[in-house]
């Protein structure tokens, strides 16, 4: 396997790089990243690995994509501009990265006859569908430009698979967390924000009443699912979509108190207005990926929080 990971300097991408470099059947891991959301420090540890290559480039530039795809057998497309709120503020930028960039990757895969592609989708595609748990075949209307870009990615993947005989697997991530997830910035995820605020003894704000629920998924579960998807072979080119999650839900309020307990903090949170475009409740049905890819969650939310907090303590001073 000679794997191209787009967005390999990002949170999920860099964890996937580390995971794949340890696999015997992987002879090359090449990263393409422009460092807009990714960090050079996330991949610094890999630079001396003979199986690692780095190309600084942008998925929106077709020439960068062509260079990155040369001699590659598998593509893991993790590059994207995340955040519902960012997409509401700048829908054009989200579309340029998440849709146009994806189309470039699909095109170079077609030209180079790379017939195995795994890409990151999102639980946001379930939109206004109120049914729980979320089943791959039943989605609602998107609630944000970000969700729409992920839905569009899935449709482009399906069409390219059918027209050009490519095997493409989309993974709908459910609230991924873990080491290398940055607590800083306007669009940081809730778990690193809670950890960072509590360590600094600053009162965090929960948007809404805190009773909204999520299927928080530790990063090791996600990178293992990506590996299983990259390895999976079908008798003929196919397009598949899978939920990637723990298969359990917790309210944001309960999550906060779990983090506070681990950090031995008694700080009570503030509560603010709901965020536009957010889904109220989310819980994944993971029976499909269990059956087809032999996936099973490796790390619980409690253990994942302990590992994540330990990483933050070791990497961020207060």
């Amino acid at each position: 396997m000679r794997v191209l990971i787009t967005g390999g300097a990002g949170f999920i991408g860099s964890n996937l790089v580390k995971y794949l470099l340890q696999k015997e059947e992987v002879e090359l891991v090449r990263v393409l990243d422009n460092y807009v959301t990714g960090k050079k420090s996330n991949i610094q540890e890999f630079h001396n690995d003979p199986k690692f290559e780095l190309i600084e480039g942008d998925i929106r530039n077709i020439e960068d994509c062509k260079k990155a795809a040369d001699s590659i057998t598998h593509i893991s497309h993790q590059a994207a501009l995340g955040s519902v709120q960012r997409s509401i503020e700048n829908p054009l930028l989200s579309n340029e990265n998440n849709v146009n960039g994806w189309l470039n990757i699909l095109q170079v895969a077609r030209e180079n006859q790379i017939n195995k592609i795994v890409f990151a989708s999102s639980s946001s595609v379930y939109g206004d569908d109120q049914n729980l748990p979320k089943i791959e075949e039943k989605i609602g209307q998107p609630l944000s430009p970000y969700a729409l870009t992920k839905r569009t990615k899935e449709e482009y993947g399906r069409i390219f698979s059918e027209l050009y005989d490519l095997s493409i697997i989309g993974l709908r991530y459910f609230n991924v967390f873990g080491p290398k997830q940055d607590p800083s910035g306007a669009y940081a995820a809730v778990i690193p924000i809670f950890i960072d605020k509590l360590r600094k003894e600053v009162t965090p704000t929960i948007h809404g009443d805190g009773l909204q629920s999520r299927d928080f998924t530790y990063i090791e579960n996600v990178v293992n699912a990506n590996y299983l998807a990259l390895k999976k072979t079908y008798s003929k080119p196919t397009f598949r979509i899978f939920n990637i999650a723990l298969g359990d839900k917790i309210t944001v309020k309960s999550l906060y108190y779990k983090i506070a307990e681990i950090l031995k903090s008694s700080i009570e949170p503030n509560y603010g207005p709901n965020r536009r475009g957010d889904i109220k409740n989310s819980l994944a049905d993971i029976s499909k990926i269990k059956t087809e890819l032999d996936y099973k969650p490796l790390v619980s939310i409690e253990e994942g929080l302990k590992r994540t907090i330990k990483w933050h303590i070791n990497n961020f001073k207060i």
Side-chain angles (χ1 to χ4, degrees), residues 42-67:
N42 283 344
I43 54 174
Q44 188 65 41
E45 63 184 293
F46 313 127
H47 283 198
N48 293 327
D49 193 310
K51 297 199 296 185
F52 177 78
E53 288 184 5
L54 173 63
I55 296 177
E56 186 170 348
D58 196 315
I59 57 170
R60 294 172 295 178
N61 184 318
I62 190 68
E63 296 305 319
D64 288 347
C65 295
K66 287 179 178 179
K67 180 181 178 182

Side-chain angles (χ1 to χ4, degrees), residues 128-144:
D128 63 0
D129 176 55
Q130 299 298 312
N131 293 292
L132 292 179
K134 304 298 184 184
I135 300 170
E136 286 89 346
E137 287 69 32
K138 185 174 177 56
I139 60 175
Q141 295 295 317
L143 297 176
S144 67

Side-chain angles (χ1 to χ4, degrees), residues 123-127 134 143 212-214 277-282:
S123 60
S124 65
V125 302
Y126 289 105
K134 304 298 184 184
L143 297 176
Q212 61 271 37
S213 61
R214 297 288 183 268
D278 274 358
I279 293 171
K280 178 64 177 175
N281 296 300
S282 186

Side-chain angles (χ1 to χ4, degrees), residues 142-285:
L143 297 176
S144 67
Y146 173 76
L148 182 58
T149 66
K150 291 294 187 176
R151 182 75 187 104
T152 304
K153 284 177 71 172
E154 293 186 0
E155 284 302 295
Y156 263 124
R158 179 185 61 80
I159 289 168
F160 265 70
S161 176
E162 293 173 357
L163 291 179
Y164 308 120
D165 293 331
L166 302 175
S167 282
I168 301 175
I169 295 178
L171 305 179
R172 289 179 184 160
Y173 295 158
F174 280 69
N175 298 91
V176 187
F177 74 97
K180 296 188 178 181
Q181 193 171 30
D182 193 350
S184 63
Y187 306 107
V190 65
I191 288 178
I193 288 176
F194 284 167
I195 295 170
D196 185 59
K197 296 282 189 184
L198 288 176
R199 289 189 64 219
K200 293 175 179 175
E201 299 185 352
V202 175
T203 302
T205 296
I206 293 176
H207 293 279
D209 58 12
L211 299 181
Q212 61 271 37
S213 61
R214 297 288 183 268
D215 194 333
F216 288 98
T217 312
Y218 186 64
I219 185 65
E220 187 174 326
N221 301 327
V222 174
V223 295
N224 179 57
N226 273 273
Y227 173 61
L228 294 172
L230 285 166
K231 285 202 311 177
K232 179 66 177 179
T233 57
Y234 292 94
S235 57
K236 62 180 180 179
T238 188
F239 176 75
R240 307 294 287 157
I241 287 286
F242 299 105
N243 290 333
I244 305 301
L246 184 62
D248 196 7
K249 63 183 172 70
I250 184 174
T251 66
V252 173
K253 188 175 182 179
S254 295
L255 172 78
Y256 172 80
Y257 286 113
K258 279 185 180 291
I259 295 171
E261 181 181 5
I262 296 170
L263 287 169
K264 296 180 171 56
S265 173
S266 58
I267 296 174
E268 291 293 322
N270 290 327
Y271 293 87
N274 289 312
R275 301 178 93 169
R276 292 181 300 162
D278 274 358
I279 293 171
K280 178 64 177 175
N281 296 300
S282 186
L283 169 65
D285 183 318

Side-chain angles (χ1 to χ4, degrees), residues 95-107:
N95 193 81
E96 286 173 12
N97 284 273
N98 299 352
V99 178
N100 295 351
W102 171 228
L103 191 55
N104 282 340
I105 293 298
L106 287 171
Q107 181 62 23

